[in-house]
Amino acid sequence: MKRRIIALAIILVIVLLSACNRGGENTPAPAKFDTEAAIELTENYLRLITEGNYEEAKKLCAEDLQGDSENMQKEGLKIVSYNQDDLNEVGASVVATYRINRIASNEPRADLDICTITIVKEGEEYKISKVNAATEKEAYAEGRTLRQRKQED
């Protein structure tokens, strides 16, 4: 009697373990968000904006953002450098924060901006869905002196 219970228990364990293994083969794993591809897209976008190539930069944006690429270039200020400051994965998107240095070629003026770019996955492609830029610091000439202004929150 004891042998029958042990044999039945062993057969039951084998059946359960084999049933658990078969269920996972048919369900495909969900597509993961590729953070490296999103950062590469953001770097390409900023490089194109820096070069003044707004038409190519628009192609990297989602439909609702395509008209805003020119807004990244402030009047009279040219982007000279940018550096990634922060990166956050938020659900099915990535939010990248960059520090952008801009200078004016015709006057002594420079700005340090904080730019937040949100990247989403549309189908199989990554697109920029939101861009927010705010000035953090400004350096400018006032009379014969050089002034610095920090934007307060």
Side-chain angles (χ1 to χ4, degrees):
M1 182 73 161
K2 197 174 189 182
R3 287 185 184 179
R4 284 186 183 176
I5 293 174
I6 292 175
L8 185 61
I10 291 174
I11 291 172
L12 184 62
V13 168
I14 291 172
V15 169
L16 286 176
L17 289 177
S18 64
C20 290
N21 289 338
R22 277 189 251 140
E25 295 173 8
N26 294 338
T27 56
K32 293 186 178 182
F33 197 88
D34 187 4
T35 305
E36 294 298 322
I39 294 304
E40 184 178 330
L41 173 80
T42 308
E43 295 282 338
N44 287 339
Y45 177 76
L46 288 172
R47 182 181 46 78
L48 290 168
I49 295 294
T50 301
E51 295 169 355
N53 192 349
Y54 300 110
E55 291 303 316
E56 289 295 319
K58 284 181 187 180
K59 294 177 184 176
L60 302 177
C61 297
E63 291 293 323
D64 56 340
L65 184 68
Q66 289 193 354
D68 293 341
S69 290
E70 287 88 357
N71 295 340
M72 279 291 293
Q73 192 70 29
K74 289 185 179 178
E75 195 70 31
L77 294 173
K78 183 176 189 286
I79 297 174
V80 291
S81 67
Y82 52 88
N83 190 20
Q84 184 180 342
D85 189 40
D86 194 19
L87 177 71
N88 293 315
E89 292 185 40
V90 182
S93 65
V94 168
V95 179
T97 304
Y98 284 83
R99 292 186 179 270
I100 298 176
N101 295 314
R102 304 175 195 258
I103 61 169
S105 59
N106 57 351
E107 63 179 314
R109 180 175 172 197
D111 287 1
L112 174 64
D113 295 344
I114 300 290
C115 180
T116 305
I117 301 174
T118 304
I119 304 100
V120 296
K121 188 172 185 179
E122 290 183 351
E124 292 299 315
E125 294 184 328
Y126 293 94
K127 296 286 185 176
I128 295 173
S129 68
K130 189 175 182 183
V131 177
N132 290 329
T135 302
E136 182 180 9
K137 292 183 181 180
E138 293 179 84
Y140 59 95
E142 186 176 284
R144 295 182 48 92
T145 61
L146 189 63
R147 310 287 270 170
Q148 184 177 359
R149 178 179 14 206
K150 181 178 181 180
Q151 303 296 332
E152 300 295 326
D153 292 327

